[in-house]
Amino acid sequence: MDKNGSKLSQDEIDALLKGGSNDDIEPDTVLSAMEQDAIGEIGNISFGSSATALSTLLNQKVEITTPTVSVIQKSKLNEEFPHPYVAIEVNYTEGFSASNLLVIQQTDAAVIADLMMGGDGTNADPSLSEIHLSAVQEAMNQMMGSAATSMSTVFNKKVDISPPSVELLDFKEGEGTERIPAEKMLVKVSFRLKIGELIDSNIMQLYTITFAKDLIAELTDPTPEEELVQETPQSASEPQQAAPLTQSAPAQQAAPPKRQAKPNPAEPVNVTPVEFEAFNEPQHTTSQLGNLEMLMDIPLSITVELGRTQRSVKEVLELSAGSIIELDKLAGEPVDILVNKRIVAKGEVVVIDENFGVRVTDILSQSERLSNLT
């Protein structure tokens, strides 16, 4: 509504989004209270899962509280963000065509970077180097990836993001401001972020009002999914033939066995050993073999795994040419052979005409293969 109490027209809103010159419009009139609640609920659901992902990543208790939603003028961002910040730009590659900006204080980003690199976060250097920014970028990538997964559930469609880009943001120095969207009015979604005893601050989202309207429209009036193609029903002119009823014949009463005469001790008796059917060789019927033939051309991915290990982000970032990574297997120990990421056999590495190969030494039993599926 404007100052006279009437709602804004669509033309006024469009002019506002395109950078019109009407600076007298109150920011709170661009989104209604109901629309702000919808934006807050979307943020609450998506960033709730992000807190879990970040907690696992940092090995710290992470809390992200219910957000507050507001609309701010771009010209007043320097008042909203008076300190040096770190801006993380996230672009949606599927589900939505938009981007948003995550903004956190530079000191908070330094703590996150220190935790990512194996530190305790207590003496984090606020002057972020390239390697520290990369650590923050990875943390935000995990957060927003988890948020995108939650949004996929909320909007009942696949939502995906590109790897985020990170840059320092300082309005006083004019640094990093080119990443701010060009619209004059922006939506700010502010969350309270608590990481253990190290951080009690805010993390904020900035995106356009157009994107906010798209989110609200998808939430209130989702795009109908494509109808599944069903089989063509049988026409009325072709009467459906009833399946013939078969009735099992009454079981005939078995005739009593004839009494055999006792063998004459004088006559030789032909004695042969009993032959039992081998239980380890399953007998396949013709239909089973036919069904198996249908699967013969399906490609399977076979992987030979030499071993595994776990390293912190700090140790991974310190790797260089010549570095040695110790695995969890002893030298000469059989390697695992995986089919579609499931262990099915073990073997030993061999060299065949200057190429590596693997000789199968042991096939896992059926029970062992089933246990690997759980």
Side-chain angles (χ1 to χ4, degrees):
M1 295 183 181
D2 58 19
K3 295 181 179 180
N4 297 324
S6 59
K7 291 185 178 180
L8 293 174
S9 66
Q10 186 61 45
D11 292 337
E12 289 175 315
I13 294 177
D14 293 340
L16 180 64
L17 298 180
K18 295 177 181 178
S21 60
N22 192 352
D23 291 334
D24 295 332
I25 298 177
E26 293 295 332
D28 290 341
T29 62
V30 179
L31 292 177
S32 66
M34 184 177 297
E35 289 174 325
Q36 293 185 35
D37 289 342
I39 292 293
E41 185 59 29
I42 295 171
N44 189 35
I45 295 173
S46 59
F47 272 78
S49 60
S50 297
T52 304
L54 192 60
S55 178
T56 304
L57 199 62
L58 302 181
N59 197 25
Q60 292 276 342
K61 182 180 179 181
V62 176
E63 297 179 51
I64 299 180
T65 61
T66 304
T68 57
V69 180
S70 60
V71 179
I72 61 175
Q73 296 180 4
K74 183 179 179 180
S75 59
K76 296 182 179 179
L77 285 177
N78 57 340
E79 301 175 9
E80 294 282 341
F81 304 103
H83 308 293
Y85 289 80
V86 173
I88 303 97
E89 185 177 21
V90 179
N91 293 305
Y92 291 94
T93 59
E94 191 167 352
F96 295 99
S97 179
S99 65
N100 67 60
L101 207 63
L102 279 178
V103 181
I104 58 175
Q105 291 190 26
Q106 188 169 334
T107 52
D108 297 338
V111 173
I112 293 175
D114 189 62
L115 291 172
M116 288 284 293
M117 298 179 67
D120 57 8
T122 54
N123 297 312
D125 186 2
S127 58
L128 296 172
S129 63
E130 289 295 329
I131 193 171
H132 289 87
L133 288 176
S134 297
V136 175
Q137 180 178 355
E138 178 57 26
M140 296 301 107
N141 186 34
Q142 295 292 332
M143 278 187 62
M144 293 306 297
S146 179
T149 302
S150 296
M151 290 177 68
S152 299
T153 304
V154 172
F155 295 106
N156 196 26
K157 66 177 181 179
K158 184 177 180 180
V159 178
D160 204 356
I161 62 170
S162 63
S165 56
V166 180
E167 191 172 340
L168 296 177
L169 179 63
D170 192 338
F171 284 95
K172 291 183 179 179
E173 301 295 333
E175 186 178 5
T177 55
E178 66 275 2
R179 294 190 179 274
I180 306 295
E183 281 80 355
K184 294 187 64 176
M185 307 289 283
L186 300 172
V187 176
K188 184 182 80 168
V189 186
S190 179
F191 303 83
R192 184 180 178 185
L193 173 66
K194 295 182 67 178
I195 300 179
E197 301 296 329
L198 301 170
I199 293 178
D200 188 353
S201 184
N202 291 313
I203 182 170
M204 290 149 285
Q205 272 186 301
L206 286 178
Y207 49 79
T208 64
I209 296 175
T210 304
F211 182 39
K213 295 284 186 180
D214 289 342
L215 291 174
I216 296 168
E218 285 282 348
L219 187 64
T220 56
D221 187 18
T223 304
E225 297 182 354
E226 295 183 0
E227 295 183 359
L228 297 177
V229 178
Q230 299 180 350
E231 295 182 1
T232 305
Q234 192 173 15
S235 61
S237 60
E238 299 175 359
Q240 189 175 5
Q241 295 181 353
L245 297 177
T246 58
Q247 210 171 22
S248 58
Q252 296 181 354
Q253 185 174 1
K258 295 181 179 180
R259 185 180 299 274
Q260 295 182 350
K262 293 182 179 181
N264 189 351
E267 297 178 359
V269 179
N270 185 18
V271 179
T272 57
V274 177
E275 295 184 1
F276 295 99
E277 182 180 359
F279 290 100
N280 57 350
E281 297 180 2
Q283 302 296 319
H284 299 286
T285 64
T286 304
S287 61
Q288 288 174 328
L289 292 175
N291 292 336
L292 191 60
E293 289 291 338
M294 297 172 61
L295 306 177
M296 290 301 182
D297 293 334
I298 296 178
L300 299 175
S301 176
I302 300 180
T303 306
V304 178
E305 187 176 277
L306 186 60
R308 295 188 181 189
T309 188
Q310 287 187 344
R311 292 291 183 268
S312 66
V313 174
K314 178 182 179 181
E315 292 171 322
V316 172
L317 294 175
E318 290 176 350
L319 292 177
S320 60
S323 298
I324 296 177
I325 302 175
E326 184 177 354
L327 302 178
D328 59 355
K329 287 197 175 183
L330 300 174
E333 189 176 352
V335 296
D336 294 330
I337 302 173
L338 298 87
V339 176
N340 282 8
K341 301 181 180 181
R342 304 294 184 185
I343 299 178
V344 297
K346 293 185 179 294
E348 58 182 3
V349 178
V350 297
V351 178
I352 306 173
D353 296 333
E354 300 183 357
N355 293 327
F356 282 113
V358 61
R359 179 187 291 116
V360 178
T361 59
D362 185 28
I363 301 292
L364 271 64
S365 65
Q366 183 178 8
S367 61
E368 290 174 319
R369 291 198 300 268
L370 288 174
S371 66
N372 289 333
L373 295 177
T374 59

